[in-house]
Amino acid sequence: MQNLRKLVVFSDLDGTLLDHDTYSWDAAKPALDRLAERDIPVVLASSKTAREIEILQEQMGLSGRPAIVENGAGVIGVPGIDKAETYAALREALDRIAPALRHSFRGFGDMTVAELTKVTGLPPDMARLAQARGYSEPGIWSGSDTELDRFIAVLSAGGMTAQHGGRFLTVSFGGTKADAMDAVINALCPDLTLALGDAPNDRTMLEKADMGVIVANPHRPPLPSLVGEKAGRITRTQDAGPVGWNAAVMAFLDTLGSAEGHRRNG
Ligand SMILES: [Mg+2]
């Protein structure tokens, strides 16, 4: 199977490669092993911080691979991309928002470690890593939808954006997972890209990739129909989280392998 085209897999973590409740990726190990055997890079793309992602990369055997951190606000593992020290500026900008609106957004930086442990289910040492941010501020929105629209308008006027992830609203000075994909694609020069995600913050990534997979997440409303879905370029899994991830990647590699076989033999 040496003639596979140069594939790069981009994957969200929470609710996609990691189980929504347990954060386990055990069910995706067979597909991850198969990708590793073929030296196909798996680029993790998450709202997590660089330090959180580096730990997961090590556990998954992906150390040194590029990764998209903080929802696309930053990229690691790609030479020539500098870390921006934007987090302090972001916190200052958030604190300039009128208290009535600001009050409804409780960011990771507003929370104690105990509180963050409670809302994320992470153990305290991991919660501390989630607070070691460089580019963006995830948080819980507790206001109404109308207030959220106003909050987003105020952010936008200040040069900031807000993206909905699996369970958090993430504020940054911009940069989506798709923007960050460009930097990774420039560095790795793939012939083919596959992206997997479960939530609205994965949408641009799923639409940008050659092939996209929406991983089922019963904990949230299903994503609306995406560009490319009717044409079959984007598909949906039956099973949630790493179980769906494993099945989708296995099926993709099977299809790719048989297409390569036909090309070699025909
Ligand atoms: Mg997710």
Side-chain angles (χ1 to χ4, degrees), residues 1-2 30-40 65:
M1 211 53 76
Q2 294 303 308
L32 279 170
D33 287 347
R34 208 168 148 193
L35 291 167
E37 276 164 26
R38 287 164 174 75
D39 198 28
I40 294 169
R65 296 290 195 194

Side-chain angles (χ1 to χ4, degrees), residues 147-160:
E147 286 166 329
L148 179 59
D149 288 344
R150 274 173 48 219
F151 183 68
I152 289 173
V154 170
L155 291 175
S156 171
M160 291 171 277

Side-chain angles (χ1 to χ4, degrees), residues 12-18 20 45-47 164-167 177 196-202 217 220:
D12 171 56
L13 285 168
D14 291 339
T16 299
L17 180 52
L18 304 184
H20 178 92
S46 165
S47 58
H164 286 281
R167 62 191 97 187
K177 287 187 181 181
L196 302 99
D198 71 307
N201 66 331
D202 298 316
N217 184 345
R220 56 171 312 109

